[in-house]
Amino acid sequence: MLFFSLFKTLVGKEVTVELKNDLCISGALHSVDQYLNIKLTNTRVHNEQKYPHMMSVRNCFIRGSVVRYVHLPPGAVDVEVLHDATRRESRGG
Amino acid sequence: MEASLQEVPLPGTALAEELDQRLLIVLRDGRKVLGVLRSFDQFANLVVEGSVERIIVGEQYGDIPLGLQIIRGENVVLLGRVDEGKDTPEGLTLVSPAVIKEAQRGEKELNKLKSTIRARMDFLDLE
């Protein structure tokens, strides 16, 4: 639940999702769910020429299981707060 | 780290917004399916109606009609919303299914050849 909560705080921010198939998609985080599925709006693909099928896609739903990284803007996350929350989670769980 | 629950859709509603929309579905094996989303579940298993498989080779593309399909969620990479008007990709020419399948076969042969050459070069360990 911790990362679900983390992503909820990032809704609206510009992120870049790197998938396990090496596709990189940037966009605004529209929503996230308990499986860490991600919905992005206003998407654009890095290295567009390699993925012509993605050219006219502006909104997408990304299955959580295929995400390798979610690159965040610097300063988007208060690391201290996250650190404390992690300690609390590990103590409780 | 509080976020108002009204802003974020509940699990299970994420795909509800995409129902009856024409979507591009990218699968783990690299295939692209276009079709109208009719149903889904928590695993992202999908029912897609009027679907086509779009094969893109170089500057050409072809649509193979598939009809009504159930796609197992574990194979799904992403679902992208396609505007009704912008359905056909820019800069690519539409060809018949037979032509695009032939082009795809050619590309596969080329890639196989490239990988065997690469494997032989790696074996030599020239670096």
Side-chain angles (χ1 to χ4, degrees), chain A:
Chain A
M1 290 305 286
L2 204 174
F3 279 83
F4 178 38
S5 307
L6 174 61
F7 279 122
K8 278 196 284 189
T9 68
L10 295 168
V11 168
K13 297 262 174 36
E14 184 80 11
V15 297
T16 299
V17 182
E18 181 175 328
L19 305 179
K20 289 179 186 172
N21 66 358
D22 294 339
L23 185 60
C24 276
I25 308 175
S26 291
L29 182 63
H30 173 270
S31 61
V32 67
D33 67 12
Q34 55 173 145
Y35 305 108
L36 305 187
N37 296 328
I38 290 171
K39 264 191 140 176
L40 296 177
T41 56
N42 211 6
T43 54
R44 113 203 116 70
V45 174
H46 297 229
N47 199 3
E48 270 251 332
Q49 296 90 318
K50 197 171 171 206
Y51 308 101
H53 53 280
M54 294 291 299
M55 282 209 323
S56 45
V57 173
R58 286 291 162 270
N59 292 274
C60 65
F61 167 93
I62 302 169
R63 200 171 190 267
S65 63
V66 305
V67 174
R68 183 186 292 141
Y69 301 120
V70 180
H71 303 285
L72 306 173
V77 173
D78 186 332
V79 187
E80 274 310 309
V81 177
L82 182 60
H83 204 170
D84 294 339
T86 308
R87 264 190 248 111
R88 267 182 277 121
E89 276 259 333
S90 67
R91 213 168 293 145

Side-chain angles (χ1 to χ4, degrees), chain B residues 74-127:
Chain B
E74 67 173 306
N75 300 292
V76 173
V77 171
L78 65 83
L79 289 97
R81 211 178 292 178
V82 226
D83 303 326
E84 281 303 320
K86 290 220 203 123
D87 203 343
T88 49
E90 317 167 19
L92 300 178
T93 43
L94 176 63
V95 296
S96 74
V99 174
I100 197 69
K101 282 203 189 140
E102 194 52 49
Q104 195 182 38
R105 215 170 305 158
E107 193 187 44
K108 208 185 296 182
E109 285 299 313
L110 183 63
N111 286 335
K112 215 190 320 176
L113 187 62
K114 279 188 191 167
S115 67
T116 50
I117 292 176
R118 209 170 289 138
R120 287 187 195 147
M121 299 292 282
D122 289 344
F123 177 75
L124 291 174
D125 194 22
L126 292 170
E127 264 93 19

Side-chain angles (χ1 to χ4, degrees), chain B residues 3-23:
Chain B
S4 111
L5 282 169
Q6 287 101 310
E7 291 161 10
V8 184
L10 298 166
T13 60
L15 281 178
E17 298 166 356
E18 317 293 336
L19 277 176
D20 299 327
Q21 303 248 22
R22 190 157 183 82
L23 300 173

Side-chain angles (χ1 to χ4, degrees), chain B residues 2-58:
Chain B
E2 301 297 319
S4 111
L5 282 169
Q6 287 101 310
E7 291 161 10
V8 184
L10 298 166
T13 60
L15 281 178
E17 298 166 356
E18 317 293 336
L19 277 176
D20 299 327
Q21 303 248 22
R22 190 157 183 82
L23 300 173
L24 166 75
I25 302 156
V26 178
L27 302 177
R28 279 201 344 223
D29 63 2
R31 277 191 276 194
K32 301 120 199 157
V33 174
L34 279 105
V36 180
L37 182 66
R38 290 300 186 203
S39 185
F40 66 95
D41 68 3
Q42 70 268 37
F43 306 109
N45 294 325
L46 310 171
V47 174
V48 190
E49 193 176 27
S51 58
V52 294
E53 180 187 340
R54 179 157 290 169
I55 304 176
I56 300 175
V57 180

